[in-house]
Amino acid sequence: MESSDVQRGRGRSPFDLIMNQIRRKRTTSDRKSTSGRFLSRQAESGGLPEDREAEEERDGAGVVPGPTDPAESVCDMGWGRVCVFVKRLGKRADSRTLSLAHCDLTATDVLELATLLPSLSLLEEMDLSWNELIGGCLRSLTSHLQNVGGLRTLRLSCCRLTADDITALGEALKCVPVLEVLDLSWNAGIGGSALQGIVGKLHPTLRELNLVACQLTETDATILGGIVSVLPRLCVFDASCNPLLAHTQTDAEDGSMSKTEPGKGSVWGLGGLVSSLSHTPSLTTLRLHDCGLTTQSLGLLGGSFHCLRSLCQLDLSCNKGVAGGLSLLSPHLALLSHLGGLDLHLCCLTHTDLQALIQALPSLTELTELDLSSNKEVGGVVSDIVSALPLSQIKLLPLNGCSLNQESLSALALAMPYLQCIDVSWSKMVGGRLALLLEALQPSATQELRLSSCDLTTDDLLHLAVVCKRGVLSSLRVLDLSYNGGVGEEGWCGLLGEGGLGSLEELDLSLRPLTSKPSLLTSNPSPLTWLPTLLSAFPHLPALTRLSLQRWTLTAQEREQVNHALRKRKVLLELDPVPFASSANQEGLEEERNEE
């Protein structure tokens, strides 16, 4: 036998060879028939599962299918890949918005995303924030940004970006000519001249630039000046939490100011940024919270206000170095005729600073928010501040940590009818005198009431209960009564049993550390008599999303009752860990609530 068939069939009879050929033909025919039936069934049921899933995602994103042709088929395949990629990350595909924040993206994910950009030509917003593993590989994405030329918002906060990432971004910015929002906050690696990579690269269309907590230095302040100077439409600029931005260096040997700018130190680094603000006439929000500002910084900033007539929000808080220098800024505040919010909390303001500010307040006719909290000297001039403010439009005037006195409370009562948010926390003078403030409230005006650590008494809470019963606090969303261990159980029961808090979303009844009642060391703590009243109040708190009972010691039975009452509601319950052997039981209860 010389033929191939005979050779393959060596040792077999001719009959066996013929039968094998017949079986092969029938098997092939059967496979074709089965395949045909499978495809027929899939066609009748709407196609393959992956195709149906992609179609559903496309319909949800508002994409209308067009005529069937090769080009359209390619587009459909690309969109299908987008849907699969996004769904794998627990998100839903949208042709105009790509939100992948907090998705633990890796360098491989970024590379895959880059290949999907051609299928996202309509994309307007991309958010990759809080993905710390993508730092150092941004170039693989930015090299494909030409596929999303209509991008208007790009958020890359907290991604551990490096100087190379910023350089790559700068090279790609020419591909997104309509970009309006750029957020690079919480990237410590871009401090120290890395921002040079985007100088001159941003388009005049940019309206918002966020660089919070980037470890920016005085050198970066000068670079920022070059960036901002070509952004005439910039509306929001936030460089907060960069304490070295206006830092004043001294010579290591004699402690004198830097010889580069005699007598001024490094404030001229900030001066380069401040002077560039004259090119941003549309600026409405300027935030320099915790930027190491000094008295000289205030003088420079005040000198730029004549070019910032549109400014509505100014945040200079947490800059303790400005103490004693507010008189350099206050005279220029009158130029900000549209200023609606001024934040100077925790600035160690002196009595002289406050007097200078009080003189400027009458000229701020559109002011609605003034934050002077955590400045102890404020307590002595509240009456003058209230008299200088346009009370009928003031919505926010927090005075927590301001060493309030009896006169301060009387003056504050005049502003209470207009305030949406009231915060007098950490003011011991409030204890026993809360009725003075509560009687001044107007129905449905107050949305937040914060009375933490005010030495409140049982009578104070009973007064609060009466006000709630009258419906005065029907619009209240936040009630903070934490750190008031002097309140008796009658006070808690009186407040929780009266109702009138149907809009309440957050309720904090926590105790101060080390004052838990009963003690955490008690193996058999006594049941809290006010807890049943709280449980019965839950049905009357339909909007509640957060309840804090920290440092109250609850028995295992009480914990089970609270968990059971909130089992079917999405309420964040804050309790201390269960002491001793009860902790396992509490973990089981919390897991059961989560499963529900």
Side-chain angles (χ1 to χ4, degrees):
M1 299 181 185
E2 296 181 357
S3 68
S4 58
D5 288 339
V6 174
Q7 289 176 354
R8 284 195 298 269
R10 186 179 296 119
R12 298 182 181 181
S13 66
F15 176 80
D16 291 335
L17 293 177
I18 294 173
M19 291 302 298
N20 284 338
Q21 292 178 4
I22 294 174
R23 290 192 190 99
R24 282 198 297 270
K25 289 181 180 180
R26 186 164 56 187
T27 302
T28 303
S29 176
D30 289 344
R31 282 201 301 268
K32 290 181 180 179
S33 177
T34 303
S35 176
R37 288 195 302 271
F38 173 77
L39 292 176
S40 176
R41 287 197 302 269
Q42 293 300 331
E44 293 174 358
S45 61
L48 296 172
E50 293 82 356
D51 293 338
R52 292 199 302 273
E53 179 181 327
E55 289 176 3
E56 292 174 0
E57 295 285 354
R58 181 175 60 243
D59 294 339
V63 178
V64 179
T68 302
D69 58 45
E72 291 292 338
S73 298
V74 172
C75 292
D76 288 343
M77 291 175 59
W79 178 249
R81 291 179 57 216
V82 171
C83 295
V84 172
F85 175 77
V86 173
K87 186 175 182 179
R88 188 176 73 234
L89 298 171
K91 304 289 185 176
R92 186 174 178 84
D94 189 303
S95 60
R96 298 187 182 276
T97 302
L98 182 64
S99 179
L100 300 179
H102 299 280
C103 283
D104 293 326
L105 297 180
T106 64
T108 303
D109 293 325
V110 172
L111 188 60
E112 182 178 356
L113 175 59
T115 65
L116 298 176
L117 291 186
S119 302
L120 291 167
S121 58
L122 300 178
L123 196 64
E124 296 182 356
E125 180 176 350
M126 184 190 300
D127 187 355
L128 305 181
S129 300
W130 304 96
N131 288 290
E132 297 187 347
L133 298 179
I134 69 175
C137 62
L138 195 63
R139 186 177 295 274
S140 61
L141 178 68
T142 58
S143 60
H144 293 78
L145 284 185
Q146 70 274 10
N147 295 299
V148 288
L151 195 66
R152 296 182 180 275
T153 299
L154 179 59
R155 301 188 186 278
L156 296 167
S157 61
C158 198
C159 290
R160 291 193 178 183
L161 299 184
T162 65
D164 182 66
D165 290 328
I166 299 302
T167 300
L169 177 61
E171 295 171 353
L173 285 175
K174 63 179 182 294
C175 302
V176 283
V178 295
L179 190 67
E180 297 180 353
V181 178
L182 178 61
D183 190 350
L184 301 175
S185 299
W186 303 98
N187 286 292
I190 69 177
S193 303
L195 288 176
Q196 191 70 47
I198 60 174
V199 172
K201 305 295 178 62
L202 291 169
H203 294 272
T205 56
L206 198 73
R207 299 172 59 85
E208 181 176 335
L209 179 60
N210 297 309
L211 295 165
V212 178
C214 290
Q215 293 191 6
L216 302 182
T217 66
E218 56 177 341
T219 302
D220 294 309
T222 303
I223 296 174
L224 277 174
I227 294 175
V228 171
S229 63
V230 294
L231 302 175
R233 299 181 188 176
L234 190 66
C235 296
V236 177
F237 178 62
D238 192 347
S240 298
C241 301
N242 289 290
L244 300 180
L245 192 65
H247 181 65
T248 302
Q249 291 184 343
T250 57
D251 291 339
E253 297 181 358
D254 57 7
S256 61
M257 291 293 184
S258 173
K259 296 179 181 180
T260 304
E261 295 290 345
K264 295 295 183 180
S266 65
V267 74
W268 292 104
L270 181 68
L273 171 59
V274 171
S275 62
S276 69
L277 294 178
S278 62
H279 301 285
T280 59
S282 300
L283 195 67
T284 59
T285 302
L286 177 61
R287 297 191 178 100
L288 298 174
H289 163 94
D290 188 21
C291 284
L293 300 184
T294 63
T295 54
Q296 295 99 323
S297 304
L298 293 184
L300 290 170
L301 189 59
S304 68
F305 283 172
H306 67 282
C307 300
L308 301 176
R309 307 278 182 161
S310 300
L311 200 63
C312 297
Q313 298 288 330
L314 178 61
D315 185 354
L316 305 177
S317 59
C318 296
N319 287 290
K320 297 182 179 180
V322 304
L326 203 59
S327 59
L328 299 175
L329 179 76
S330 296
H332 303 283
L333 289 175
L335 298 172
L336 306 179
S337 57
H338 298 293
L339 191 66
L342 177 60
D343 193 343
L344 293 168
H345 82 265
L346 198 59
C347 285
C348 295
L349 299 181
T350 65
H351 183 77
T352 303
D353 290 328
L354 294 170
Q355 290 299 327
L357 176 62
I358 290 170
Q359 293 179 13
L361 288 179
S363 62
L364 303 178
T365 57
E366 295 191 14
L367 195 67
T368 60
E369 302 178 1
L370 176 62
D371 191 345
L372 298 175
S373 60
S374 300
N375 289 290
K376 293 184 178 180
E377 293 294 328
V378 170
V381 294
V382 173
S383 178
D384 295 335
I385 293 174
V386 170
S387 299
L389 288 172
L391 282 186
S392 61
Q393 61 191 44
I394 289 293
K395 305 300 180 185
L396 180 65
L397 183 63
L399 294 174
N400 50 295
C402 287
S403 299
L404 302 181
N405 53 38
Q406 178 87 39
E407 183 182 356
S408 303
L409 295 180
S410 300
L412 179 59
L414 298 176
M416 293 286 281
Y418 309 102
L419 299 179
Q420 292 181 353
C421 303
I422 300 168
D423 191 347
V424 291
S425 298
W426 305 95
S427 300
K428 308 301 183 184
M429 185 60 63
V430 177
R433 302 174 180 82
L434 184 59
L436 176 64
L437 300 179
L438 295 178
E439 292 302 322
L441 293 176
Q442 292 296 313
S444 303
T446 308
Q447 297 182 9
E448 295 186 16
L449 180 59
R450 300 184 183 274
L451 302 167
S452 177
S453 191
C454 285
D455 274 355
L456 298 183
T457 64
T458 298
D459 287 341
D460 288 327
L461 256 67
L462 292 177
H463 282 298
L464 181 58
V466 172
V467 171
C468 291
K469 186 176 182 179
R470 295 204 308 258
V472 175
L473 297 176
S474 59
S475 298
L476 193 69
R477 295 184 297 104
V478 178
L479 178 58
D480 185 355
L481 299 174
S482 60
Y483 296 6
N484 287 290
V487 176
E489 292 174 350
E490 181 184 358
W492 297 119
C493 291
L495 173 65
L496 298 171
E498 290 297 343
L501 296 172
S503 299
L504 194 66
E505 299 175 6
E506 299 185 20
L507 177 61
D508 195 339
L509 305 177
S510 300
L511 291 177
R512 187 189 302 276
L514 303 181
T515 61
S516 300
K517 296 184 178 181
S519 172
L520 281 173
L521 299 179
T522 304
S523 58
N524 294 306
S526 303
L528 299 178
T529 57
W530 58 266
L531 187 58
T533 308
L534 173 63
L535 297 176
S536 63
F538 284 156
H540 306 290
L541 300 172
L544 192 67
T545 58
R546 174 179 172 265
L547 173 63
S548 183
L549 297 171
Q550 293 183 6
R551 285 167 292 280
W552 283 102
T553 302
L554 279 67
T555 65
Q557 181 181 2
E558 290 169 339
R559 288 175 177 266
E560 184 176 359
Q561 289 174 345
V562 174
N563 278 279
H564 180 76
L566 300 176
R567 190 182 306 276
K568 296 182 179 181
R569 298 177 57 176
K570 295 182 179 180
V571 178
L572 174 62
L573 179 61
E574 298 177 357
L575 295 173
D576 282 344
V578 181
F580 310 117
S582 302
S583 58
N585 184 37
Q586 172 63 11
E587 290 177 0
L589 289 172
E590 291 180 352
E591 289 179 0
E592 185 178 353
R593 282 190 59 207
N594 292 334
E595 291 177 359
E596 292 288 341

